[in-house]
Structures are given as C-alpha cells and as structure tokens.
Amino acid sequence: MIKNQFISMDQLVNQGTGHIVSDMDGEKVMLSIHNGKYYNLGEIGGQIWEQIKEPISVRELIATLVAQYNVAQSDCEEQVIAFLSQLIKEDLIQLEENNRS
C-alpha cells in the first residue's frame, strides 16, 4: 500500500482488520494488533470508524457526516481527508477503487 497516496472522493474506504475498538466516555479507543499501538479516535473519529465498517465511498462518508453534524461541506471534506490520511499512514484502513459506478 502506498502510504502517501492521494485520496479521491470516489474511492471506497473501509476498516482494516486486526483492531480492537471500545467506547470510553463517548469516544472510540482502538488497539491495533498489527502494530501494538493504541489510538484515541475521538467522538467524530469514532463515528467515521463506524461508518467505514463496510466499504463506503469517501463522497458518501462526507455526505453522511455533513447531514449529521452542522458543518460546511468544504470543512468536512478537509477534515475527513486529513483523518483518513492519518489512518492510512498507520495502516489502519483500506482504500480501493470504486468499480460500482
């Protein structure tokens, strides 16, 4: 997997395997079995993690979050792409081309 790859809106994103996730006071905390690290995903990061249980396009993910939270589309895109980029760097999620369109 390319660690610094560009994330497009049409790519599918989903959780990687080998992670233990639990709720702590409304925030998601994750242990990666592969790299032995703990991650605090936070409240919204935890919401994103839930949304990517099944493959979902980045565009659909952002649309869901914009509808759920009072946030501008451009701000949401910027924050979600940054968050997903960090998860990719840590090898916690998978990106794939969307062949459904």
Side-chain angles (χ1 to χ4, degrees):
M1 176 186 282
I2 302 167
K3 298 288 185 199
N4 278 334
Q5 75 186 44
F6 175 75
I7 298 172
S8 82
M9 297 294 278
D10 293 319
Q11 282 181 302
L12 297 176
V13 60
N14 70 306
Q15 296 176 358
T17 57
H19 311 299
I20 299 170
V21 180
S22 63
D23 282 309
M24 292 185 106
D25 296 325
E27 295 187 352
K28 292 247 186 265
V29 179
M30 173 174 49
L31 168 65
S32 171
I33 303 297
H34 297 299
N35 61 23
K37 291 183 182 176
Y38 281 98
Y39 301 91
N40 182 348
L41 301 178
E43 182 183 343
I44 295 178
Q47 182 64 33
I48 292 171
W49 187 257
E50 288 298 311
Q51 294 292 322
I52 63 173
K53 274 186 177 175
E54 299 295 325
I56 184 173
S57 75
V58 175
R59 185 180 317 281
E60 289 174 272
L61 173 61
I62 290 168
T64 300
L65 294 170
V66 167
Q68 194 169 7
Y69 297 96
N70 185 17
V71 62
Q73 175 88 20
S74 58
D75 290 342
C76 189
E77 284 178 19
E78 185 179 312
Q79 295 296 316
V80 168
I81 298 289
F83 182 72
L84 294 177
S85 295
Q86 191 61 40
L87 294 180
I88 289 168
K89 244 188 259 180
E90 295 290 331
D91 205 21
L92 301 174
I93 61 172
Q94 299 169 338
L95 278 180
E96 59 188 77
E97 293 307 313
N98 186 351
N99 298 322
R100 292 188 247 172
S101 44

